[in-house]
Amino acid sequence: TCTNLPGSVQCRCSPGYLADHEDESLCVDSDECSDKNGGCDQVCTNLPGGHECSCLPGYRLTLSSTCQDTDECLTDNGGCSQAQLCVNTPGSRLCQCRPGLVADPRNTDTGCADVNECDQSNGGCDQLCHNKEGSHTCSCNNGFHLLPDMRTCGDINECTKDNGGCSHICENTAGGQECYCPPGWTLEQG
């Protein structure tokens, strides 16, 4: 807008506009984005008479014109398969195979394949290893029981229950028991 003054004209531009260098009676758009990115955190778009702040994909604009990471993993596991863990990253997310699984591009359903933990050092099991999808379990041969570490097997003392089924002398052995007779007696086979 220009105001006619005695002997001159004074022009003022609306906010977001500057006086033209060649003709000060004309106002041209000011590119707010050229000065400190218009105060925007990521993306500044110059508009006639102003500017607009926006964010890169994977971010959302806050009220203070800053961009905050969007946690894509909060919705539908980030689009990862159920065999995968969604890991939020700045502006994006990664799909990683769950423990006990490895990446397998041939598996188009999940992108992951089972690791047979029993193939390596018997899965850390003392005696028997049973592979399961994404994990494994340990168990023991007859006459042994699984200890609290869920890997090591301990001998069961069969002689402590009903004398191990022996009529006289029961001797515990690794994984079983032996029955003996007192001196002068013989063991019946049957």
Side-chain angles (χ1 to χ4, degrees):
T1 56
C2 293
T3 306
N4 197 8
L5 299 173
S8 71
V9 174
Q10 184 181 29
C11 295
R12 283 210 170 122
C13 296
S14 300
Y17 291 88
L18 298 172
D20 185 52
H21 294 298
E22 294 174 14
D23 182 355
E24 290 189 7
S25 66
L26 295 176
C27 294
V28 294
D29 180 50
S30 168
D31 184 0
E32 296 86 359
C33 297
S34 64
D35 182 25
K36 297 181 183 174
N37 202 36
C40 299
D41 193 23
Q42 290 182 352
V43 179
C44 181
T45 304
N46 189 49
L47 301 172
H51 71 289
E52 181 179 82
C53 296
S54 60
C55 299
L56 299 170
Y59 293 88
R60 64 181 176 81
L61 191 63
T62 66
L63 295 175
S64 61
S65 294
T66 59
C67 294
Q68 188 175 44
D69 178 52
T70 301
D71 189 347
E72 296 84 359
C73 298
L74 295 177
T75 305
D76 194 30
N77 197 33
C80 300
S81 77
Q82 292 309 310
Q84 297 174 321
L85 293 172
C86 182
V87 179
N88 188 51
T89 61
S92 188
R93 57 97 176 110
L94 294 172
C95 295
Q96 295 178 340
C97 294
R98 294 185 183 277
L101 303 174
V102 292
D104 182 3
R106 295 170 296 168
N107 186 335
T108 55
D109 290 336
T110 65
C112 299
D114 180 51
V115 172
N116 187 346
E117 295 86 356
C118 299
D119 285 346
Q120 221 172 29
S121 300
N122 200 38
C125 300
D126 192 19
Q127 292 182 0
L128 305 175
C129 182
H130 309 280
N131 188 52
K132 300 169 100 179
E133 180 77 19
S135 70
H136 71 291
T137 58
C138 300
S139 65
C140 302
N141 294 316
N142 288 335
F144 295 88
H145 65 97
L146 202 57
L147 296 179
D149 68 4
M150 302 304 287
R151 295 181 178 280
T152 310
C153 296
D155 180 50
I156 296 172
N157 186 347
E158 293 83 2
C159 296
T160 60
K161 184 176 179 187
D162 296 328
N163 200 36
C166 300
S167 60
H168 288 84
I169 301 169
C170 180
E171 184 178 306
N172 188 51
T173 61
Q177 86 280 355
E178 294 284 335
C179 295
Y180 296 101
C181 297
W185 294 65
T186 58
L187 191 62
E188 280 187 14
Q189 300 296 325

